[in-house]
Structure formats: structure tokens, C-alpha cells
Amino acid sequence: MRKRSSIAITAGRAHCGGADRHSRARRGSRYLIVTILCAACIVQFATNPARAQCTARDVLQNQLKLKTRPTEVSQQLIQSGRDVATWKTITIGTFADPLGLRNKLDGMGCGIGGQAAEILARPTFILGSRKTDVELVLVSPAQLGFTSDTVTLADVYARARQFGFELAAAEVGPQLRIQYLDQPIGEFLIIGMEPIKTWSGEPIVLNVANGGAGLILIGQDGRASSEIHVTSRFVFARSHQSAPGTGPIDQTAAFLPP
């Protein structure tokens, strides 16, 4: 009787030991699977440049990596459009529809203000049908010859046209946001564009900004009579048609609205 009990205990221990080994094996297998999945996620994150590039930390890291410096703000009066060097060349016409463009901004972690989001959803916001490189210039109303503290948007547009600059396509705003990842803190760039009306009829232009909390695309008053500070900076498209030099501005002259 004791012999049988001893055999039963030994068999039980063997069974438990086998079960324990199987349990450890299953745990090890699950651990291996989890490790593989985590490694795959890390590789995907590392090879996906569209993830979280617009947060304040990512912008700082990008600036340190590229060793970029803030663009110097020049208020030197320009005499001709030829005096202004191309500031940046970007590519437009890379998205099939506005939704794809919006998803790209979201995927990069770029902030989108309420008015800007509404503009991107409007039927009048049209994307380029083919991939095109656009040369951009960066100028202020002061550089265009204005001497008062503020100037109307219509006056800025009219004066920019006299220098041979063109209004940028609406797509330039979000595309510049995507392609300008080292924007310095405190920089707000008004896109010189035809205003797009919100659902309530309010005309809005886009602004590419870094207010310190990350890269963002916002909207601002696009009425012809809206007042703009003379040191504000505008992004216009470069015209490839030469424009003659322009003399000093007559502040009392009438400017045609854009």
C-alpha cells in the first residue's frame, strides 16, 4: 500500500514538474511574441518620419540636429523684387484631396486652429493637380516701403504686386507647415493669399506659426481693411516675370483691393 502511494506521489510530482515546464514555456513564448511586436513597433516608429514632428520637443531636437538659426528679421527697404532672395522652395500638389493633407498634418502632430481647419474643409480650398515647386519670398510691409505703424491687408497686397510678387496658392499654407519643421519660436508668417470665407462668410488667410507650444497652422482676419503691423512678415510667391523698380510709396494713394 505504501509502495503504491509512493509511486503515486512520484508520478504526481513528475506531472506537476512537466506542467510547470509547459507553463514556463508558454510564458516564454508569450514574452518572445511581445518582444517581437514591441521591436516591430519601435522600428515602425523610427522609420516613419511623419510621426510627431511638430511638437515643441521635436522642433527643438530638429533645430539642434540641423544646427539651424532663426531667420534674421530685416526691415531694409527694397527697391525691386529682384533685390529679394528666394527664402524657401516648397512642393505643392502632392495630395489627392484635402482630407489626405489634413491627415498628414494630424499625423505629424501639427496643431490646426479652428479657422484654419474650417478653411481646409471649404470647397474653395483647392489643391494643385500636379506636383509643382514654388519659390517663396519673405517680406514685411516696412520693407515694401510703409512707414506707419499699421497698414491694411489690401495695401500690402497691392504693393507686393507692384514689386512683381504673386499671391500664393491656398495650399502653400499647410504645405509650408509640413515642410518647415525648424521654424523658430515666436515666428508668425502670414500667407499672402486670396482669403477664403468660412461657413459664416468671414474671410480668412492662413498663418504658419510657432508660438512655443509646437508648430501650428492658424487663421486670421483676411478682410481687405484688416490692420497689419508694419513689421509683420508675409510669404508671397515669386513671379518669374521681371518687375521694374518702384519708388517711395505715396501713403495717400489709393490701392486696389486684392
Side-chain angles (χ1 to χ4, degrees), residues 80-122:
S80 168
R82 293 186 294 270
D83 297 338
V84 182
T86 296
W87 168 65
K88 190 176 290 292
T89 300
I90 67 170
T91 304
I92 64 173
T94 58
F95 292 92
D97 52 62
L99 180 59
L101 177 58
R102 174 62 189 267
N103 289 340
K104 177 72 171 181
L105 289 165
D106 290 339
M108 294 175 64
C110 297
I112 305 176
Q115 290 178 325
E118 191 170 344
I119 291 305
L120 296 185
R122 295 289 285 145

Side-chain angles (χ1 to χ4, degrees), residues 10-179:
T10 302
R13 289 176 177 174
H15 175 73
C16 291
D20 186 58
R21 285 194 298 273
H22 286 304
S23 178
R24 288 197 299 269
R26 285 195 298 270
R27 288 197 299 269
S29 178
R30 287 196 296 268
Y31 178 78
L32 179 61
I33 293 173
V34 171
T35 302
I36 293 173
L37 291 175
C38 290
C41 291
I42 293 172
V43 170
Q44 182 180 10
F45 182 87
T47 57
N48 186 359
R51 293 182 65 100
Q53 292 182 331
C54 291
T55 66
R57 183 180 66 178
D58 294 313
V59 173
L60 178 59
Q61 290 177 345
N62 194 37
Q63 290 176 342
L64 293 175
K65 179 180 178 181
L66 299 177
K67 298 182 179 179
T68 56
R69 296 181 178 180
T71 305
E72 294 185 2
V73 180
S74 172
Q75 301 300 340
Q76 183 177 357
L77 185 67
I78 59 177
Q79 300 297 328
S80 168
R82 293 186 294 270
D83 297 338
V84 182
T86 296
W87 168 65
K88 190 176 290 292
T89 300
I90 67 170
T91 304
I92 64 173
T94 58
F95 292 92
D97 52 62
L99 180 59
L101 177 58
R102 174 62 189 267
N103 289 340
K104 177 72 171 181
L105 289 165
D106 290 339
M108 294 175 64
C110 297
I112 305 176
Q115 290 178 325
E118 191 170 344
I119 291 305
L120 296 185
R122 295 289 285 145
T124 48
F125 178 81
I126 301 174
L127 299 179
S129 59
R130 59 188 179 87
K131 187 181 295 186
T132 305
D133 291 336
V134 180
E135 293 183 32
L136 303 177
V137 296
L138 198 60
V139 296
S140 69
Q143 287 179 282
L144 296 176
F146 293 97
T147 57
S148 57
D149 290 337
T150 62
V151 61
T152 66
L153 185 64
D155 286 357
V156 175
Y157 281 8
R159 189 58 168 173
R161 287 189 176 104
Q162 290 182 21
F163 277 102
F165 302 137
E166 297 178 348
L167 295 187
E171 184 184 353
V172 166
Q175 287 279 18
L176 181 59
R177 177 65 294 153
I178 290 171
Q179 300 175 49

